[in-house]
Amino acid sequence: MIPSSTQRLSGWGRYPAEDCKVFRPEKRRSVHEILDSGQEPHYIARGLGRSYGDTAVNGGGGVLSTVRLNRMLSFDEESGILECEAGVSLAEILEVFLPRGWFLPVTPGTKFVTVGGAIANDVHGKNHHRDGTFGAHVLDLTLLTPGGDVIDCSPESRKDVYWATVGGIGLTGIILTAKIRMQRVESAYMKVDYRRLKNIQETLATIRETDAQYQYSVAWVDCLARGGALGRSVLLLGQHAAPNELWPGTGDPFGARARKKPGVPFDFPGFALNPLSIRAFNGAFYAMHPSRDGKIIDYDSYFYPLDAVNNWNRIYGKRGFTQYQATFPTGKEDGLVQLLERLSAASCASFLAVLKRFGPEGKGLLSYPFEGYTLTLDIPMREGLLAFLSDCDRLVLQYGGRLYLAKDMCMSADSFAAMYPRAGEFRKVRRELDPKGVLSSRMARRLRLAEDTTS
Ligand SMILES: Cc1cc2nc3c(=O)[nH]c(=O)nc-3n(C[C@H](O)[C@H](O)[C@H](O)COP(=O)(O)OP(=O)(O)OC[C@H]3O[C@@H](n4cnc5c(N)ncnc54)[C@H](O)[C@@H]3O)c2cc1C
């Protein structure tokens, strides 16, 4: 028997949770032994569990944690190409390479995600409009299939496997290693221009006008504001700062270090978060951020404000929360406005929502981003929420929009099929790589990407 432990696992939103058998291999060669052992009916890889929903949850089956497969394998100082195991986290990469002048090509809003997780969800950052997804900077990867083959694939060789795996939510195999092209930067600081915008129309117009001039662009939206203030926001427009732009006396331009983190020591009671307290928070944020140019802030505060508090997901209490992320195509902004109206009217208590513009769609068969506007917000679990969200899903569909698998926990298989038109192609590649259905997850079964072999 290969050692495993039973753990109640969920995504970052803490809902839904299921009992899974967790395996923690330390060597790449042990991964195939686990998949081949037949100990569990099916398996799914799991990185740092930062997806919000059920993509790395596998009740009644095995979960293969990759966090011990975290070796850096090589780095080319000239080209910035890093080869590492899939369990290396973005935080570990930054710690080693930022002081040497290299930054991640794309980063999500937390650095506590693994390279494998970043590829399997083909994550995006505040620079999608310019630089695309994480997968666009992966030069090649090695994939262990359930049958025991190790496939070296890239945009040039075994393209079918590569584009099914980039964004493939762990269902094509276990990513063992990847080569990533890093970007060179001149400091660990960001130069940020702020724009305080009075409603959704002004927000969308300003994003459109400014996007091309900035590498990073994201708006924090007060989604509890109503009427003429619906969608009021603070837009943050960022660039990596040059050494001569830093404050005098800054010293080492790479001297900014990740902050020490206080934690949330217990689950907050349900009443702590309510529309009143959140309205006050959102209002204060808006008031405190007037338009201004050229503020210098360290990379950690700019890219990862939420990482400053350990286990911040506990503030939503034991019932947990979901993160709803919907993208509307360019020209269908009316859908976005309607969604905001619906959320605001339902007082879906949420701290600031995030709005950004995506650039062109990538090639990953299940990759999420496509050209348009994407809105993301946290919603605490409560009675009736699932029905409310399925109404929102219908609205998103009606406008040709799409929900993000890294965040989702309840979309129906039919909505998924309508939102992800390349799912058929994905299934075909998956059948070739995993004919016996060894890989599965709660999400895969829910979205009919894998058979339910437990019931
Ligand atoms: C605060 C916060 C902010 C975020 N901001 C963003 C954002 O701005 N943009 C964005 O795109 N996402 C964002 N996310 C989501 C997060 O980036 C993704 O969910 C990411 O995939 C999580 O990586 P992980 O290592 O935790 O993987 P997990 O959540 O553990 O797993 C994610 C998926 O990857 C698969 N997987 C993991 N490792 C492997 C492997 N080695 N081989 C094959 N499959 C594997 C799993 O099976 C699963 O399907 C955010 C999440 C949080 C908590």
Side-chain angles (χ1 to χ4, degrees):
M1 285 281 276
I2 301 172
S4 65
S5 61
T6 303
Q7 285 178 32
R8 195 146 184 85
L9 287 184
S10 66
W12 188 244
R14 308 179 81 196
Y15 179 91
E18 292 184 340
D19 287 338
C20 310
K21 283 278 180 352
V22 180
F23 296 80
R24 298 166 73 86
E26 287 182 8
K27 303 218 165 80
R28 275 176 265 154
R29 68 168 179 275
S30 319
V31 176
H32 181 238
E33 286 164 25
I34 296 167
L35 295 185
D36 202 37
S37 68
Q39 264 176 245
E40 300 303 321
H42 37 64
Y43 301 85
I44 194 71
R46 182 175 171 103
L48 283 166
R50 268 7 186 236
S51 299
Y52 283 77
D54 54 0
T55 177
V57 175
N58 191 21
V63 166
L64 202 148
S65 165
T66 63
V67 293
R68 290 180 177 166
L69 301 171
N70 65 343
R71 295 164 194 88
M72 310 253 187
L73 302 173
S74 68
F75 184 67
D76 181 339
E77 201 68 58
E78 283 300 302
S79 61
I81 295 172
L82 166 69
E83 184 175 18
C84 63
E85 289 185 333
V88 168
S89 73
L90 302 191
E92 288 164 334
I93 294 178
L94 286 171
E95 200 180 316
V96 176
F97 294 104
L98 186 53
R100 290 156 74 168
W102 296 96
F103 195 75
L104 299 158
V106 165
T107 179
T110 172
K111 58 184 182 291
F112 299 116
V113 313
T114 60
V115 166
I119 296 172
N121 270 323
D122 199 12
V123 300
H124 56 269
K126 300 172 176 57
N127 55 342
H128 185 273
H129 60 287
R130 281 223 351 211
D131 302 319
T133 57
F134 193 85
H137 306 270
V138 174
L139 303 180
D140 71 47
L141 56 87
T142 56
L143 182 79
L144 174 79
T145 68
D149 297 325
V150 176
I151 302 179
D152 200 345
C153 60
S154 71
E156 288 81 39
S157 107
R158 295 304 310 269
K159 290 188 240 185
D160 55 336
V161 176
Y162 182 82
W163 292 120
T165 300
V166 171
I169 53 169
L171 295 175
T172 58
I174 311 292
I175 301 164
L176 297 177
T177 64
K179 275 194 200 130
I180 305 153
R181 191 190 295 279
M182 305 276 287
Q183 63 163 318
R184 214 184 254 290
V185 291
E186 292 182 77
S187 81
Y189 293 88
M190 305 297 296
K191 184 177 166 198
V192 187
D193 294 347
Y194 292 75
R195 297 286 176 269
R196 184 159 65 190
L197 304 164
K198 53 181 189 295
N199 55 33
I200 187 65
Q201 285 73 22
E202 199 173 278
T203 300
L204 292 171
T206 312
I207 292 177
R208 255 192 315 269
E209 281 158 23
T210 52
D211 245 12
Q213 303 154 41
Y214 295 87
Q215 184 172 8
Y216 301 97
S217 166
V218 67
W220 293 88
V221 178
D222 175 1
C223 56
L224 290 180
R226 293 185 185 173
L230 184 86
R232 68 179 181 171
S233 72
V234 178
L235 176 63
L236 275 69
L237 299 159
Q239 309 273 33
H240 292 279
N244 64 2
E245 293 172 322
L246 306 181
W247 315 284
T250 300
D252 177 5
F254 293 102
R257 292 279 178 271
R259 292 152 299 169
K260 293 267 173 288
K261 300 180 295 169
V264 175
F266 55 84
D267 298 330
F268 273 33
F271 60 79
L273 285 188
N274 58 60
L276 277 181
S277 60
I278 292 181
R279 204 178 291 279
F281 174 88
N282 286 4
F285 183 89
Y286 187 75
M288 280 162 56
H289 289 87
S291 297
R292 59 178 288 192
D293 281 350
K295 188 172 179 198
I296 300 292
I297 54 180
D298 65 88
Y299 77 96
D300 213 32
S301 310
Y302 179 73
F303 287 104
Y304 311 116
L306 292 169
D307 286 351
V309 183
N310 245 338
N311 300 327
W312 62 262
N313 53 348
R314 298 183 76 177
I315 64 172
Y316 286 100
K318 285 202 172 96
R319 292 176 82 176
F321 68 109
T322 187
Q323 187 166 87
Y324 196 74
Q325 181 165 1
T327 300
F328 292 87
T330 307
K332 301 279 185 184
E333 290 82 353
D334 281 0
L336 179 77
V337 175
Q338 279 193 39
L339 180 63
L340 266 176
E341 276 166 355
R342 209 174 266 197
L343 294 163
S344 169
S347 287
C348 272
S350 171
F351 291 109
L352 301 156
V354 175
L355 177 67
K356 75 163 272 83
R357 189 149 85 108
F358 279 153
E361 188 162 21
K363 291 187 181 164
L365 298 180
L366 297 187
S367 286
Y368 173 63
F370 66 93
E371 200 155 336
Y373 293 89
T374 191
L375 180 76
T376 310
L377 74 162
D378 294 347
I379 308 178
M381 287 306 298
R382 61 172 194 207
E383 197 113 346
L385 182 66
L386 297 182
F388 174 75
L389 291 181
S390 95
D391 275 351
C392 293
D393 295 357
R394 274 192 283 280
L395 175 79
V396 174
L397 256 179
Q398 187 191 328
Y399 282 89
R402 187 181 284 173
L403 302 179
Y404 189 12
L405 301 181
K407 313 290 176 74
D408 176 59
M409 51 90 186
C410 63
M411 146 169 60
S412 72
D414 289 341
S415 297
F416 167 72
M419 290 179 189
Y420 285 82
R422 303 187 74 187
E425 282 173 71
F426 177 80
R427 280 194 183 87
K428 186 166 169 284
V429 182
R430 182 175 141 72
R431 266 195 303 273
E432 284 159 18
L433 297 171
D434 184 18
K436 295 187 183 149
V438 173
L439 299 170
S440 185
S441 63
R442 185 182 189 276
M443 171 173 277
R445 295 186 284 279
R446 177 165 62 79
L447 301 181
R448 294 202 288 266
L449 286 167
E451 297 308 312
D452 188 348
T453 52
T454 54
S455 53

